[in-house]
Amino acid sequence: MQAAVSSPVPVAWYPALAVLTVAVGLMLTASFFIYEATSSTRSRSLAKEITTAAVASVFLGFGSLFVLLASGVYV
Amino acid sequence: MWMRRELRHLAMARRNSLTTVIADVWDKAKHLREAAEEEERHVCKAWKISSQVVRPETTTTATMAPPLPTSILLLLAVAFTVAAATATSPTAPEDGIRVVSAEKRIDLTGPIVKVYLTLKVHNPATGSDASHVLIAFTPLEAQHLAIVKATRAEGKRKKKVYVPLPVEPVDLAANAPDGARLYSVSLSAPLRPSETTTMEVFYVLTHSLEPFPAEITQSESQLVYYRDSALLLSPYHVLEQVTYVKMPSNRVESFTRVDPTARSGPEVKYGTYKDQLPYAYSPILVHHENNHPFAVVEELVRKVEISHWGNVQVTEQYKLKHGGARHKGVFSRLEYQSRQSISGASSFKNLLARLPPRVHSVYYRDEIGNISSSNLRTDSHKSELEFEPRYPLFGGWHCTFTIGYGMPLQDFLFESEDGRRFANLTFGCPLLNTVVDDLTIKIVLPEGSKSPQAVVPFLTEQHLETSYSYLDVVGRTTVVLKKKNVVGEHNVPFQVYYEFNPVFMLAEPLMLISAALLFFVACIAYLHMDLSIGKSQAS
C-alpha cells in the first residue's frame, strides 16, 4: 500500500535541534580560534586544526539548516 | 404610423388635384402597406408557433438582443414548423434511443448556473445494444460549459447506487444541426434492446447570467437575464419533459411563456411537453433579481512547493473581479455602512476560502503589505479562512491579493508501490462559489526529482519548467498545469508522481557544511601565511 512520506526528523524538533547544533558548532568554532590564538606557529598541529574545523563546520552546517527550517524557510 | 402620414399626403394631393402625384403616392402607400402586412404576418407566425411572451417588451428584447444568435431563432422556427407538420416523424436517429421522460432543473440561485437533468432513456426492442448516450448543448452553452458529470442509478430501491459515468465531447465532425455540440456519456453496462435506464446529468455554466441593466448605482439591486430553452435540446426523440427554473428570490421581472408555463414563487415550470423531435429548441428568457456576489477570479496562480524536510508550501495569487452589473455613479461609504441591507446589495466585502486541515503560517497580503482583516477557523476536517479585501467590491471592480499557507508533508506526500513518490493535492480554487477564468497550478518538486507525471481526472494543459529557490544548484523541476473556466466542482484530488533518491536530501546540508568549512580553511590558510612586510625574525 501507499505509505505517507514524512520528514527524516520530526518537524517539531527543528527549533531545539537548531539551538543545540548551533551552540555546539559555535563552541567548537570558539575552541578552534582559541587554539589558533594561543598556540604558536611552530607548536600548531595542522591535523588538529583541520579536525576541529571539520567537526565545527558539520555542526554549523546542520545548525544553519535547522535554523532555516525552524524559521519556516523550507529548503 | 407614417403610412397614415402618406395617406394624409394623398388626401392633400387629391385636394390639389395633382393626378400624377396621386397615382405615384397611392402606389407607394399600397406597396408599403403590403410590405408591412407581410412582415407582421411573418413575425406573428414565428412567435405564435414558438412561444407566447408575457410582455411585449420581453419579445422585443428577446428578438433585439444581440448575443442571442439568430441561428438559434431560425433553428427554433424550423424545429417547430417541422414538429408541427410531422408530429410522428419516422426519421428517428440511427441508434433509435428515446428519452421517455426528461426533467431539467435549472438552478439560478447562485452566481453560477447549475443544471440537473434526469433522463429516462429507453432502447427500443428493434434497436441494438447502446453503449453510450448523447447529450447536446448549443454552441453558446458549450463555450460556457465548465463541467459535465453523469451518473446512472443502478440496483433497485434501497440498494440504489449512483455509478459515475465518463463523459467526453464528441468530435465536431459529428453532424449535429446548427452547430450543436454533442457530449457522449459512456454507459457502464450497455443498454440492451427494450431496456430502460435512468441517468442523472449535472452540468455547470459560467458567465451565463447577463446583467440587465448592465450598469447599476449603489442603491439598486442587480437584475440578470438567463437564456435557455424550454425544450430539452437532445439528439433523441423526447416523449415527455418538464423544465424547472429556480430563481433566488420572488422578484422575477419577466419570463418567456411557452404554454403550459406556470410560476409559483421563485420557480417557473415549463411543461409538460410531449413528443418532441430531436433538436427541438424553444428559447426562453428569464429576467430576475440575483444579488449573489459574482466573484470571478480572472487569474489564479497557485504555487505548491514540496520540501522533503516536512512542508508543503502553497502560495496563491489572485486577480479578483466582481463580474456582475457594473457600478455606476459615486460610491458612498457612509451609505454603504449605515444601510447595509439596501445599499450595495450585489456587492461583497468578504470571501471564504476552504483550506485543508492542519494548515499553518497562513498569511494574506497584497503589494502594499499585510491585510489584517482575516479570520482562520480550523477543525479536524478543514480550515476556513474568512477574509475581507481592502475595499468592498462593486460590479466591475478589481482587486489583487496573495494567500499563502504551509501544510504538513505527511498529509500530502506518499510513496506508491513502484517506489515512486506522489503528491496528492486538490485541484481548483479554494474560494467558495467563484469562477476561475484562468487557473495555473505550479507544482515545484524538490531538487533532484526525475520524470514527473501529473494525473488529473480532466483535460489540462501541461508543461514542465525549472524554478529556483533557496539553496538550489540545478533548479527544481516544476510541473505546470493550466485550465480555463474552473468552478467548485473541479476541486478534486489529483496526483503528481516523480522519482526521487533520498540521497539528494543531503545536498542542502552539504552545501552549508562546505560553506562553513571553506571559512575555516580560509582562516587556517591566513594564519599559516606570513604576510608581514618587515623582515622575518626567524631568518
Side-chain angles (χ1 to χ4, degrees):
Chain A
M1 249 323 272
Q2 44 185 252
V5 176
S6 54
S7 55
V9 180
V11 176
W13 293 6
Y14 286 150
L17 273 174
V19 170
L20 206 77
T21 45
V22 169
V24 172
L26 286 177
M27 273 191 271
L28 285 167
T29 312
S31 81
F32 170 81
F33 282 108
I34 290 164
Y35 179 71
E36 292 290 339
T38 51
S39 60
S40 68
T41 325
R42 295 225 176 128
S43 64
R44 251 179 226 160
S45 139
L46 191 68
K48 199 185 171 194
E49 283 173 313
I50 297 283
T51 321
T52 322
V55 177
S57 53
V58 166
F59 274 96
L60 279 184
F62 274 103
S64 49
L65 176 76
F66 289 135
V67 165
L68 286 173
L69 294 174
S71 60
V73 180
Y74 283 88
V75 292
Chain B
M1 189 153 139
W2 56 283
M3 214 151 65
R4 211 177 292 154
R5 208 184 302 150
E6 291 277 321
L7 286 170
R8 206 184 300 147
H9 266 290
L10 188 81
M12 273 166 69
R14 193 171 281 173
R15 211 176 299 148
N16 292 346
S17 67
L18 290 164
T19 42
T20 44
V21 176
I22 295 174
D24 195 32
V25 172
W26 179 248
D27 263 8
K28 210 171 158 191
K30 197 176 154 194
H31 181 74
L32 276 164
R33 198 170 55 227
E34 271 172 7
E37 272 172 5
E38 174 73 18
E39 202 178 342
E40 203 179 327
R41 206 163 44 232
H42 195 75
V43 169
C44 283
K45 199 169 147 198
W47 280 101
K48 261 178 202 156
I49 291 167
S50 60
S51 58
Q52 283 164 1
V53 180
V54 202
R55 292 183 190 179
E57 58 260 37
T58 319
T59 326
T60 47
T61 40
T63 44
M64 295 296 182
L68 190 71
T70 45
S71 64
I72 291 179
L73 277 175
L74 269 175
L75 163 69
L76 127 93
V78 169
F80 267 85
T81 36
V82 169
T86 53
T88 50
S89 159
T91 55
E94 293 150 42
D95 42 1
I97 293 178
R98 272 156 200 277
V99 178
V100 181
S101 70
E103 190 189 87
K104 186 174 178 182
R105 286 185 178 273
I106 305 166
D107 181 6
L108 303 180
T109 53
I112 300 164
V113 179
K114 292 175 180 170
V115 184
Y116 303 86
L117 276 179
T118 309
L119 302 174
K120 203 170 162 191
V121 185
H122 177 71
N123 197 1
T126 51
S128 52
D129 284 11
S131 58
H132 58 261
V133 174
L134 296 172
I135 30 180
F137 296 98
T138 63
L140 204 70
E141 272 180 335
Q143 212 181 333
H144 292 148
L145 197 65
I147 195 164
V148 192
K149 282 197 217 173
T151 53
R152 181 186 184 180
E154 279 180 11
K156 292 271 163 73
R157 298 205 175 258
K158 279 183 183 172
K159 285 181 185 167
K160 211 177 207 180
V161 278
Y162 288 94
V163 185
L165 304 170
V167 185
E168 271 176 17
V170 176
D171 248 3
L172 286 174
N175 48 350
D178 287 275
R181 299 285 164 80
L182 296 176
Y183 278 69
S184 152
V185 181
S186 309
L187 298 175
S188 44
L191 196 63
R192 273 184 270 282
S194 72
E195 239 184 15
T196 305
T197 189
T198 307
M199 266 169 46
E200 304 268 348
V201 180
F202 167 74
Y203 62 90
V204 177
L205 300 169
T206 58
H207 299 288
S208 293
L209 295 170
E210 184 205 337
F212 189 85
E215 285 191 337
I216 53 168
T217 59
Q218 192 176 338
S219 56
E220 279 176 305
S221 178
Q222 181 172 269
L223 299 169
V224 292
Y225 273 153
Y226 176 69
R227 293 184 171 86
D228 205 325
S229 167
L231 296 173
L232 178 76
L233 188 70
S234 169
Y236 308 115
H237 277 272
V238 185
L239 302 184
E240 197 179 285
Q241 58 173 307
V242 197
T243 303
Y244 295 95
V245 184
K246 197 177 178 220
M247 275 153 283
S249 70
N250 277 330
R251 189 169 166 201
V252 180
E253 292 289 297
S254 67
F255 58 94
T256 314
R257 274 187 187 277
V258 183
D259 282 335
T261 305
R263 183 192 156 191
S264 60
E267 196 171 71
V268 179
K269 181 187 170 189
Y270 288 97
T272 312
Y273 305 111
K274 290 201 166 133
D275 293 331
Q276 294 299 331
L277 277 187
Y279 298 107
Y281 193 85
S282 157
I284 51 167
L285 181 74
V286 184
H287 193 200
H288 63 280
E289 183 186 50
N290 191 335
N291 276 329
H292 284 273
F294 280 45
V296 177
V297 182
E298 290 183 307
E299 198 186 338
L300 169 59
V301 180
R302 294 180 75 196
K303 196 164 88 174
V304 183
E305 286 168 282
I306 297 165
S307 163
H308 281 148
W309 289 99
N311 192 43
V312 177
Q313 182 70 35
V314 184
T315 314
E316 294 168 352
Q317 284 168 315
Y318 290 89
K319 269 188 194 157
L320 191 73
K321 186 197 171 185
H322 188 305
R326 292 178 64 82
H327 179 69
K328 162 173 91 172
V330 292
F331 166 57
S332 161
R333 170 68 80 166
L334 178 70
E335 201 186 317
Y336 183 72
Q337 232 138 308
S338 59
R339 290 191 285 164
Q340 290 196 350
S341 56
I342 50 162
S343 179
S346 68
S347 73
F348 60 94
K349 59 177 182 181
N350 56 358
L351 292 159
L352 189 70
R354 189 156 290 166
L355 308 178
R358 291 181 290 283
V359 292
H360 62 86
S361 355
V362 182
Y363 65 84
Y364 166 47
R365 62 180 175 81
D366 61 7
E367 289 97 337
I368 310 170
N370 177 52
I371 310 170
S372 55
S373 48
S374 62
N375 285 309
L376 181 72
R377 289 186 292 271
T378 51
D379 61 35
S380 56
H381 301 294
K382 61 179 186 300
S383 309
E384 281 183 334
L385 177 69
E386 193 188 35
F387 58 97
E388 290 179 19
R390 285 195 189 267
Y391 41 84
L393 283 182
F394 278 83
W397 292 12
H398 293 257
C399 104
T400 53
F401 55 88
T402 306
I403 289 176
Y405 48 93
M407 305 183 292
L409 182 75
Q410 61 269 25
D411 290 6
F412 298 94
L413 194 68
F414 303 93
E415 194 160 329
S416 63
E417 283 157 36
D418 57 359
R420 287 191 301 170
R421 294 187 174 196
F422 70 93
N424 189 23
L425 303 158
T426 308
F427 200 84
C429 164
L431 292 188
L432 296 183
N433 282 323
T434 49
V435 183
V436 184
D437 289 345
D438 212 336
L439 173 71
T440 308
I441 300 187
K442 294 182 178 181
I443 300 105
V444 184
L445 299 172
E447 204 177 21
S449 306
K450 281 194 229 68
S451 51
Q453 183 203 354
V455 181
V456 191
F458 31 77
L459 206 67
T460 51
E461 192 191 309
Q462 299 183 7
H463 69 267
L464 292 180
E465 58 182 40
T466 310
S467 57
Y468 293 89
S469 178
Y470 309 104
L471 302 178
D472 280 350
V473 183
V474 291
R476 303 186 184 198
T477 313
T478 306
V479 183
V480 183
L481 305 174
K482 282 188 179 188
K483 185 160 172 63
K484 287 190 191 310
N485 214 5
V486 177
V487 289
E489 278 71 24
H490 285 111
N491 291 10
V492 289
F494 73 100
Q495 291 80 32
V496 179
Y497 287 85
Y498 62 95
E499 282 168 24
F500 184 80
N501 189 345
V503 172
F504 280 103
M505 275 186 80
L506 286 173
E508 285 103 4
L510 278 176
M511 276 167 74
L512 293 165
I513 288 167
S514 46
L517 199 64
L518 206 69
F519 167 71
F520 284 111
V521 169
C523 286
I524 293 168
Y526 172 72
L527 291 166
H528 278 253
M529 273 191 290
D530 191 1
L531 294 175
S532 55
I533 299 168
K535 280 184 180 173
S536 172
Q537 277 180 335
S539 59

